[in-house]
Amino acid sequence: FLAAVALARRECHRPFLIAFLTGLLAGLSVLLEYQSVLAVVVIGIYFIVRVPHRMRAVSAAVLGALPPAALLCAYHKLAFGSPFKTGYAFVIQPMYRGFMGLVGPSVQSFWITLFLPSNGLFTLAPWALFALVGAIAVACDREARARCGAEAVVCVVVPVLYVVFLGSADTYQAHAGWSVGPRYMTAALPFVAWLAAAGFRAVERYAPARVLAQTLVVSAAIVFITAATTYPHWPDQLRNPLYELSFPLLTHGYAVHSLGTLVGLHGFLSLVPLYAVALGAIIWLLSRGPRRSVPQTVLACILAAALVSGHRTFPRTGDYASRAWGFVTATWEPPLK
């Protein structure tokens, strides 16, 4: 997308090479993750409509996309018997039948994708709400529409497509297994972040809104850094994985390999250096700017901790949580000392 934008805005000195790179990256993204095709289609339309010297640029992009497309087709032929057949043709679970598990829109699948306490995008990464603010801000500003209106449309359409896709999937597919958050939304998150950045800019002049925006960013950082440094595969039936798995693992001394374990530290202490670096980076990045300050960012960090502590009020799972805990701790590596 960034390559396509540079080409559309005539900000590159080698347009043929950038067009080739656009196609190559688009093909590689689908090679690595089928669901990326949703974003690729939207970017492709943007590319065709916006780039200068359209025929030459499109030809270069198609040329760039051919190698990864050929590699993917060859893999499909070797693994599944046909260049156009995927592994989904062989699964036995009923939730994957049809095209990639799509069964039609359902309120439950949309809830799982956006709001479920254990999985929802807005629950675990509430900063994404500012993408709505950003979309409205660009739409209401004539100068912003002229400057980046087409790019804003792409950044709206891509996440909407992914939400509709997951909202139309079987509920098991919408949850996407043992993951932290709606992992099939991953390819859409840079576009959500682009809009959220516009939303942050729109409220920058108001100190309370600025602190709120930073609070939502830091709360997401707490959730995902904690998950990444404990067990980043939340069992799909846990209703409150942050307080039924992630935080208990820390308090019981379970920690992943890190620079801390390399120097002989164990448990939570081994992660303190990483957490200190992460906190320092958060404060440094968020406090930069003419209207920002370290005290405001520190306040946002405190409010974020309080917001995350509110997760303890979410429903608990019951017996399944005990079984999940037993499985995770029994297979933990490095062993607890």
Side-chain angles (χ1 to χ4, degrees), residues 227-278:
T229 53
T230 51
Y231 195 77
H233 314 284
W234 286 350
D236 53 9
Q237 295 183 45
L238 280 183
R239 301 175 69 186
N240 194 340
L242 197 61
Y243 277 89
E244 291 182 304
L245 185 64
S246 296
F247 286 151
L249 285 172
L250 282 180
T251 58
H252 284 79
Y254 292 90
V256 296
H257 285 291
S258 66
L259 293 177
T261 57
L262 185 65
V263 298
L265 298 175
H266 301 285
F268 178 76
L269 286 178
S270 70
L271 294 172
V272 168
L274 173 61
Y275 290 163
V277 170

Side-chain angles (χ1 to χ4, degrees), residues 83-230:
F84 307 106
K85 185 177 290 186
T86 71
Y88 283 97
F90 297 93
V91 294
I92 60 174
Q93 294 94 333
M95 70 283 296
Y96 289 111
R97 292 175 184 168
F99 179 73
M100 301 177 73
L102 295 180
V103 295
S106 73
V107 173
Q108 188 174 2
S109 290
F110 279 109
W111 172 261
I112 290 171
T113 301
L114 297 176
F115 301 109
L116 186 71
S118 62
N119 186 78
L121 175 65
F122 293 140
T123 305
L124 301 179
W127 60 264
L129 290 167
F130 268 82
L132 304 176
V133 178
I136 295 172
V138 173
C140 295
D141 187 323
R142 179 180 300 177
E143 181 182 347
R145 292 198 307 271
R147 185 177 68 253
C148 59
E151 291 76 21
V153 169
V154 172
C155 290
V156 169
V157 173
V158 169
V160 167
L161 276 180
Y162 279 86
V163 170
V164 171
F165 168 73
L166 288 176
S168 301
D170 181 273
T171 54
Y172 183 86
Q173 179 81 334
H175 197 291
W178 286 32
S179 62
V180 182
R183 65 184 176 93
Y184 289 133
M185 284 287 296
T186 301
L189 289 184
F191 303 89
V192 176
W194 191 97
L195 288 174
F200 296 156
R201 171 65 68 87
V203 303
E204 186 75 11
R205 71 186 72 175
Y206 308 109
R210 191 164 61 244
V211 171
L212 173 62
Q214 293 188 11
T215 297
L216 299 184
V217 170
V218 177
S219 67
I222 294 172
V223 170
F224 287 98
I225 290 175
T226 302
T229 53
T230 51

Side-chain angles (χ1 to χ4, degrees), residues 52-77:
H53 309 296
R54 185 173 304 149
M55 291 303 298
R56 187 181 181 199
V58 171
S59 298
V62 171
L63 188 63
L66 284 178
L71 182 59
L72 182 60
C73 288
Y75 168 72
H76 285 167
K77 174 65 176 177

